[in-house]
Amino acid sequence: TPPGRHPPQPRFTEGGTPGAGGGRARPPGDAGVAFDAAERAARMNAYDPGTRELAASCAIEAGRFDDARRHILALTILEPAQPRHARRLEAIDRLIRSR
């Protein structure tokens, strides 16, 4: 890494393993802190699908399924051609109903 430049942050694929592109690195710390940071990021950049995916993931890890559903629903609107969002919405609805 050249002087004055930071090394690239790891990016995560859908399976949660490091990879090129795909998802975003999750904020460090406990699930509640990560959720709060991701929620703030989603409010500041509401139309970015990657930010919404991060917020949904952090919400699920924090047990905030209604918040996760809200972000996944936004993804179905932002990227209607992506069938994975509809599948995720169905999955989170099943999870919410089972509680």
Side-chain angles (χ1 to χ4, degrees), residues 43-59:
R43 282 194 306 269
M44 290 188 289
N45 200 2
Y47 298 104
D48 178 52
T51 303
R52 289 289 186 163
E53 287 197 32
L54 174 64
S57 298
C58 290

Side-chain angles (χ1 to χ4, degrees), residues 11 17 23 28 35 38 40 43 60 62 68 75 78 85 89 92-93:
R11 297 178 86 61
T17 57
F35 168 75
R40 259 190 319 278
R43 282 194 306 269
I60 290 168
L75 283 164
L78 293 172
H85 301 317
L89 189 59
I92 196 71
D93 283 342

Side-chain angles (χ1 to χ4, degrees), residues 8-91:
Q9 294 296 311
R11 297 178 86 61
F12 292 85
T13 62
E14 193 161 319
T17 57
R24 306 249 172 156
R26 290 197 173 102
D30 69 34
V33 172
F35 168 75
D36 290 340
E39 188 71 16
R40 259 190 319 278
R43 282 194 306 269
M44 290 188 289
N45 200 2
Y47 298 104
D48 178 52
T51 303
R52 289 289 186 163
E53 287 197 32
L54 174 64
S57 298
C58 290
I60 290 168
E61 289 178 12
R64 303 197 48 169
F65 302 127
D66 292 330
D67 290 310
R69 186 185 192 287
R70 176 171 45 86
H71 290 296
I72 295 168
L73 183 60
L75 283 164
T76 66
I77 295 166
L78 293 172
E79 296 183 318
Q82 295 294 327
R84 71 180 183 271
H85 301 317
R87 290 191 305 267
R88 289 174 177 165
L89 189 59
E90 290 170 5

